[in-house]
Amino acid sequence: MKIRGLDRNVARFSLDLKPTDIPQTVMDFAQVLLADLLCVAVAGSHTPMAKIAAQFASSQMGGDRQILFNSMTASPSGAAMANAFIIDSMDAHDGYKPAKGHAGCASLAAVVATSQPGLPGDEFLAHLVLGYEIGCRAGIILHNTAKDYHTSGAWMAIATAAIAGRAIGLSVDKMNEAMGVAEFHGPRSPMMRCIDYPTMVKDGSGWGALAGVSAAYLANSGFTGAPAEIAQTQLAPELWSDLGSRWILLDQYVKPEPVCRWAQPAIHAAMTLKMQNDFEPADIERVDVTTFSEAAQLAVKHPETTEQAQYSLPFPLAAAIVHGTVTPERLMDAGLADTQVNKLAQKVNMHAAAEFDAAFPIHRFAVVRIILRDGQIFESEPTEASGDPESPLSDIELQAIFHRFSDTYLGENAAADLHKSVSQLRNNTADDMLEMTSHPAKKPGHENR
């Protein structure tokens, strides 16, 4: 019989972690990430993907747990799935480079779905921190041990099991079983298929959250499934042994633009060239982008859906040159039909460079060359996107992103109230903040569609 090793320690950490064990800097950044995830959910709640997911969860998995920015509710498992789909429907949420994916999306989805009234705000944040710490480590290990590139849902299933197990008070043994069940049933979905064929399956976070939360409730009823192999000592002792001493949450990046992170180095480079030089979009003959192979596969030039727009490099790059920024609205509805943006996107050519491939995923580089009709050429340096841990966004920039994503749907005052509620969360229960996120995000003066 194989010995079940370090996974029990991971289970114990998940249950024993106290808000007072978490350094102030970690709690502070957890609030930053929480605000960012919520504004992404505000915008995402208006996508077709989010509406379908909420309706499905409510009709097929009924219950009284909160679905973000929606009047419908579902069971804990169903709400976790719908919440993750809502956040993931707008590809603007944080991520972790070594795991090549996103921990915050499914983590917040599970925390909201399993929170009970009166939950202290610092405990809400501790649940969220736990998701990052377990999920990011599991993601690194899965990428190092599996031959395929799996979506975030594959490894976030374990983290959301930990969140839900903590919320319902599992024993260490049952938490151990829950993580094993979650790993076994987590979606080993192939990430690059969604890049090649952008659809609503996205990053697998919805199914990962569903699998993880379901696993906790199954384990609570006696369902067994241990061990979770990627939490075993022999695979990566150096990753699990520093739980509670090294805080991976601090190493997340925050996205300035609501599209795939792989496209953002090129977008950042193009916006810099536009600010530094005097030209108009109509002056451009073509745009050449040299980047890493995964980014070069973001090849949709005329997206017909928001998913295609978010997994495109040419379209948001063109939108950034034409409009100076990329808002969620430019990836939906009328924004997809923007003639000027679509015309410029056709002029974007992409190439992969071996040296940039070698640097991925820790570094994501792009070089952009803009060639004008009169023969002038503007070329960027090898560029990484802002918002990485090495180049964090300022408080002013973070505030601007929050309002850019939420003001259209909540109104400036309501958005400011939500942000204030997040900033004061540690001094209150989570009730007021969750109440603000439990209603549809309507455009001011309009009915929610």
Side-chain angles (χ1 to χ4, degrees):
M1 178 179 178
K2 293 183 178 179
I3 297 174
R4 298 176 181 178
L6 194 59
D7 53 339
R8 289 181 56 83
N9 293 337
V10 176
R12 187 171 288 109
F13 174 83
S14 301
L15 293 167
D16 291 348
L17 178 66
K18 298 179 178 63
T20 52
D21 296 332
I22 303 172
Q24 181 81 14
T25 54
V26 178
M27 294 291 266
D28 288 344
F29 197 52
Q31 287 178 279
V32 170
L33 297 176
L34 173 58
D36 186 67
L37 289 163
L38 288 175
C39 75
V40 173
V42 169
S45 69
H46 286 260
T47 64
M49 173 181 164
K51 294 175 183 178
I52 292 169
Q55 178 62 45
F56 174 82
S58 179
S59 63
Q60 300 298 315
M61 293 175 277
D64 62 357
R65 298 305 176 90
Q66 181 176 336
I67 296 177
L68 286 166
F69 300 104
N70 201 288
S71 58
M72 291 180 282
T73 57
S75 68
S77 298
M81 183 193 75
N83 289 337
F85 275 135
I86 288 168
I87 298 169
D88 206 19
S89 70
M90 186 58 60
D91 200 352
H93 45 91
D94 59 68
Y96 182 55
K97 290 188 288 185
K100 297 189 288 187
H102 313 276
C105 175
S107 292
L108 180 60
V111 175
V112 170
T114 58
S115 290
Q116 295 284 2
L119 181 71
D122 60 352
E123 182 65 21
F124 184 100
L125 289 171
H127 282 64
L128 187 63
V129 170
L130 176 65
Y132 283 92
E133 298 305 317
I134 300 297
C136 291
R137 288 172 169 83
I140 294 173
I141 298 168
L142 184 60
H143 284 306
N144 288 343
T145 56
K147 65 178 181 179
D148 296 328
Y149 180 175
H150 296 110
T151 63
S152 302
W155 38 274
M156 282 308 297
I158 294 177
T160 51
I163 290 169
R166 177 186 175 92
I168 64 177
L170 292 183
S171 66
V172 170
D173 287 340
K174 286 189 174 181
M175 179 69 91
N176 187 40
E177 302 296 343
M179 289 192 291
V181 173
E183 182 196 56
F184 192 90
H185 290 134
R188 295 291 180 99
S189 35
M191 183 66 218
M192 296 310 294
R193 185 181 301 170
C194 187
I195 301 301
D196 293 334
Y197 306 97
T199 62
M200 294 180 184
V201 295
K202 299 296 288 280
D203 196 33
S205 294
W207 291 108
L210 171 67
V213 174
S214 298
Y217 280 88
L218 284 167
N220 194 42
S221 296
F223 201 96
T224 60
E229 286 204 353
I230 58 177
Q232 294 297 295
T233 305
Q234 62 269 27
L235 285 179
E238 72 285 356
L239 281 171
W240 292 120
S241 63
D242 61 6
L243 271 171
S245 60
R246 179 171 71 98
W247 299 93
I248 288 182
L249 177 139
L250 294 174
D251 296 327
Q252 309 301 303
Y253 60 75
V254 178
K255 293 182 182 181
E257 315 297 342
V259 297
C260 180
R261 185 62 170 176
W262 299 346
Q264 296 197 24
I267 294 172
H268 186 84
M271 291 175 68
T272 301
L273 290 176
K274 181 67 169 63
M275 288 187 293
Q276 292 174 344
N277 300 282
D278 183 21
F279 64 88
E280 297 298 325
D283 300 332
I284 297 174
E285 177 70 28
R286 73 174 192 274
V287 180
D288 291 338
V289 178
T290 303
T291 186
F292 52 99
S293 294
E294 287 81 357
Q297 287 183 245
L298 301 168
V300 178
K301 292 190 175 184
H302 190 148
E304 297 179 354
T305 67
T306 183
E307 288 77 34
Q308 290 178 350
Q310 291 174 55
Y311 283 131
S312 164
L313 191 156
F315 185 84
L317 184 148
I321 292 176
V322 171
H323 298 292
T325 189
V326 184
T327 63
E329 294 73 41
R330 302 214 176 275
L331 308 175
M332 297 186 282
D333 303 327
L336 298 175
D338 188 315
T339 302
Q340 194 175 10
V341 172
N342 277 292
K343 184 176 181 180
L344 181 55
Q346 301 305 311
K347 301 177 181 180
V348 178
N349 305 299
M350 296 181 294
H351 315 277
E355 62 268 31
F356 294 166
D357 286 345
F360 180 78
I362 302 303
H363 296 285
R364 293 103 181 269
F365 289 112
V367 170
V368 173
R369 297 176 78 243
I370 297 178
I371 299 93
L372 303 188
R373 295 181 185 276
D374 64 5
Q376 290 187 82
I377 298 176
F378 306 114
E379 181 170 338
S380 75
E381 298 292 327
T383 301
E384 294 187 87
S386 58
D388 282 344
E390 301 82 10
S391 56
L393 299 171
S394 68
D395 290 343
I396 293 175
E397 289 172 314
L398 290 166
Q399 286 265 8
I401 292 170
F402 183 89
H403 286 285
R404 179 153 51 96
F405 289 178
S406 57
D407 282 6
T408 299
Y409 305 105
L410 295 179
E412 185 176 346
N413 290 337
D417 288 344
L418 177 59
H419 194 277
K420 181 178 180 181
S421 180
V422 173
S423 68
Q424 297 178 345
L425 183 58
R426 273 179 282 178
N427 300 320
N428 300 295
T429 70
D431 292 352
D432 288 345
M433 183 192 71
L434 291 175
E435 169 63 22
M436 293 181 186
T437 66
S438 65
H439 308 289
K442 300 178 181 179
K443 292 185 179 181
H446 295 78
E447 290 298 320
N448 192 47
R449 294 179 294 172

